[in-house]
Amino acid sequence: MSSNFDHTINRASELLRHKDLAGMSALVSGLSPSDATRILERADPAERAVLYRLLPKDLALDVFDRFDASVRGELFGGLRENDVITLFEELGPENRVELVDELPSNVARRLMQGLSAGERDLTAPMLGYAKGSTGRRMSPEYIRVHAATTAGEALAQVRETGSEAESVYLLPITDESRRLIGVATLADIATADPADRVQDLATAQPVVTADVPAEDAARMCLEYRSPAVVVVDSENRLIGILTIEQAARIIEEAEDEDAARAGGSEPLRRPYLGTPVMSIVRSRIVWLLVLALSAILTVQVLEVFEDALAAVVTLALFIPLLTGTGGNTGAQAATTVTRSLAVGDVRPRDIAAVLFREVRVGATMGGMLGLLGFTIAGLVYDWNLGFVIGSTLFAICTLAATVGGAMPLLAKKIGVDPAVFSTPFISTFCDSTGLVIYFLIAKSVLGV
């Protein structure tokens, strides 16, 4: 399958190089939506616009719906205005809101004004919610069932309006004021007596308010394995649903972001080979500048203890070992706690329990590594130096694990992404503090 796709990619490149639009049209028309999406994502922006115009209408709409919002925004720049207006109208409200965030404000305003009244009424309220909130990612296209409706009437309503809804598998049940009473699944209604009232079929299901972070709502949806999460306002009035498909997408984006930030960059949100070079540079350079400035602390520490290094040159040989051990220990703890935060295993209020646990974990690992370092350094050099290395390893591991475990919780408490405090910052912190501990112990034991 991979071989066939590679052949298609090579064939597409060849046709584009020879400007064979007829051959290109025949090639892309026979592609599946997923293959067409992958090919267009990997193309240059100018080529992407040409390829997109060659797609059959139904395939084009399907492919556009699969693009990331940044790719959609880029594609808009190469399409005719009529094509852009049509595509914007065809998008679901939640995808439309994502795209608006990627477009210049004047372009977004013009597109919103060009929407039909009905689509504008669905989309505009969502733009009022904060970025990253559930209200920004929910769908306002759902089937609402009145409590007094019978199961038979509800089924008829599904048949009549189901094609316009984002999901028909979970039906919110409300009173006359749109206040949520409960939900019923399509299976519940289909198997009930047609004369039964749907309010008698209502069950409790996950419900979130629109201002809740979208990632929290998405994890709730997946945890309960629900077809959708119902979204309400502060007065418990129904305003939308977050489907399991959208929840899975939100989680995937969040995990991509965490993984990228743990490595000191920002997620690309598109295939690597289809990402402009300057976009890759922007995703990395800020973090490199921050880390370069942070690393100056390490240089300052070495300068302060320059006399100790000059007196016992052997101390310099162990610096990479100690800084690497501290950075890795802190990164391990931060990654574990960040992941636990994401899935709801721990919360900021659990910081005391996390600290107590990480102190024990760090001390245990430090004791093992310290004993090993003491033995090896003592046998190769002398036992006083071995004691310095062993003691430092114990202290560094204990401190790094404790700080690494606490940082994500503190970040969450103050509203900062915990992933920001993972590998890069923890490593830099542990390098600096580890060296201070190392030289203080060395001065005390060796008298330098």
Side-chain angles (χ1 to χ4, degrees):
M1 184 173 179
S2 176
S3 176
N4 290 338
F5 179 73
D6 290 342
H7 173 73
T8 303
I9 287 281
N10 294 335
R11 178 62 177 158
S13 300
E14 181 182 347
L15 291 170
L16 280 172
R17 192 165 52 251
H18 291 91
K19 301 188 185 320
D20 185 356
L21 296 184
M24 196 68 220
S25 179
L27 177 67
V28 297
S29 297
L31 294 175
S32 66
S34 58
D35 282 348
T37 302
R38 292 170 67 193
I39 287 177
L40 266 67
E41 283 179 333
R42 286 161 174 76
D44 291 332
E47 293 179 347
R48 186 183 298 134
V50 173
L51 291 173
Y52 188 81
R53 291 194 194 101
L54 297 175
L55 296 175
K57 181 178 179 181
D58 290 344
L59 179 59
L61 293 175
D62 195 343
V63 167
F64 191 79
D65 194 50
R66 293 167 182 256
F67 282 151
D68 183 82
S70 60
V71 179
R72 292 173 184 160
E74 200 173 70
L75 179 61
F76 267 21
L79 296 178
R80 293 186 296 266
E81 187 171 353
N82 288 342
D83 295 331
V84 170
I85 292 173
T86 300
L87 283 173
F88 197 66
E89 180 81 22
E90 292 290 338
L91 284 175
E94 68 279 10
N95 292 328
R96 204 177 286 137
V97 169
E98 281 188 77
L99 180 56
V100 163
D101 291 336
E102 296 291 333
L103 297 173
S105 58
N106 60 325
V107 175
R109 192 181 310 112
R110 191 165 67 249
L111 287 174
M112 285 295 296
Q113 290 171 349
L115 283 176
S116 62
E119 292 298 327
R120 188 165 54 248
D121 289 343
L122 287 174
T123 307
M126 296 175 63
L127 293 170
Y129 294 107
K131 290 183 179 180
S133 67
T134 303
R136 200 91 171 184
R137 302 298 294 269
M138 69 182 181
S139 172
E141 297 178 306
Y142 52 85
I143 299 176
R144 178 176 67 93
V145 182
H146 190 274
T149 303
T150 66
E153 292 169 338
L155 278 178
Q157 186 178 344
V158 170
R159 294 190 192 98
E160 182 180 348
T161 62
S163 61
E164 301 172 2
E166 189 70 23
S167 174
V168 299
Y169 301 108
L170 193 75
L171 306 178
I173 301 170
T174 68
D175 61 17
E176 294 179 354
S177 301
R178 298 182 68 91
R179 286 189 172 86
L180 187 69
I181 293 174
V183 299
T185 65
L186 182 60
D188 291 336
I189 292 176
T191 56
D193 188 297
D196 287 348
R197 300 287 182 186
V198 293
Q199 64 183 1
D200 297 329
L201 305 174
T203 59
Q205 286 283 338
V207 176
V208 296
T209 55
D211 58 352
V212 167
E215 185 178 344
D216 292 350
R219 293 196 182 279
M220 180 186 295
C221 184
L222 297 182
E223 180 182 346
Y224 283 89
R225 299 182 181 180
S226 174
V229 168
V230 177
V231 185
V232 297
D233 62 14
S234 58
E235 297 179 346
N236 200 40
R237 288 190 175 90
L238 176 66
I239 56 175
I241 61 170
L242 183 74
T243 65
I244 193 168
E245 292 84 1
Q246 183 74 328
R249 183 180 174 190
I250 291 170
I251 296 302
E252 182 181 1
E253 291 173 0
E255 291 183 346
D256 286 347
E257 186 175 85
D258 288 349
R261 288 180 173 176
S265 66
E266 291 293 322
L268 298 179
R269 303 293 190 201
R270 62 177 77 186
Y272 172 77
L273 293 178
T275 305
V277 170
M278 287 309 299
S279 294
I280 298 176
V281 171
R282 283 194 297 270
S283 74
R284 300 178 184 177
I285 190 64
V286 174
W287 289 91
L288 287 178
L289 290 173
V290 170
L291 292 177
L293 292 173
S294 301
I296 293 175
L297 292 173
T298 303
V299 176
Q300 294 298 316
V301 171
L302 291 174
E303 186 176 345
V304 169
F305 292 99
E306 185 178 2
D307 292 341
L309 277 174
V312 183
V313 179
T314 310
L315 290 173
L317 300 177
F318 293 92
I319 289 177
L321 166 67
L322 299 174
T323 56
T325 300
N328 289 335
T329 302
Q332 286 176 336
T335 301
T336 301
V337 175
T338 299
R339 174 62 180 167
S340 298
L341 266 173
V343 300
D345 285 346
V346 297
R347 289 174 173 77
R349 64 172 179 265
D350 299 320
I351 188 168
V354 171
L355 286 176
F356 182 56
R357 180 174 293 267
E358 288 298 333
V359 165
R360 288 179 292 162
V361 171
T364 302
M365 294 192 302
M368 294 177 179
L369 292 175
L371 181 60
L372 181 63
F374 168 73
T375 303
I376 294 176
L379 290 173
V380 175
Y381 297 99
D382 65 70
W383 294 108
N384 284 336
L385 182 61
F387 180 78
V388 170
I389 301 303
S391 301
T392 303
L393 282 170
F394 173 79
I396 284 177
C397 284
T398 304
L399 176 65
T402 305
V403 172
M407 279 293 190
L409 297 171
L410 294 174
K412 186 75 172 180
K413 183 70 175 178
I414 62 176
V416 178
D417 187 347
V420 171
F421 287 88
S422 57
T423 307
F425 283 105
I426 296 294
S427 296
T428 302
F429 173 83
C430 292
D431 286 351
S432 302
T433 55
L435 288 176
V436 171
I437 292 170
Y438 179 38
F439 287 118
L440 289 177
I441 292 176
K443 289 186 72 172
S444 175
V445 175
L446 303 178
V448 294

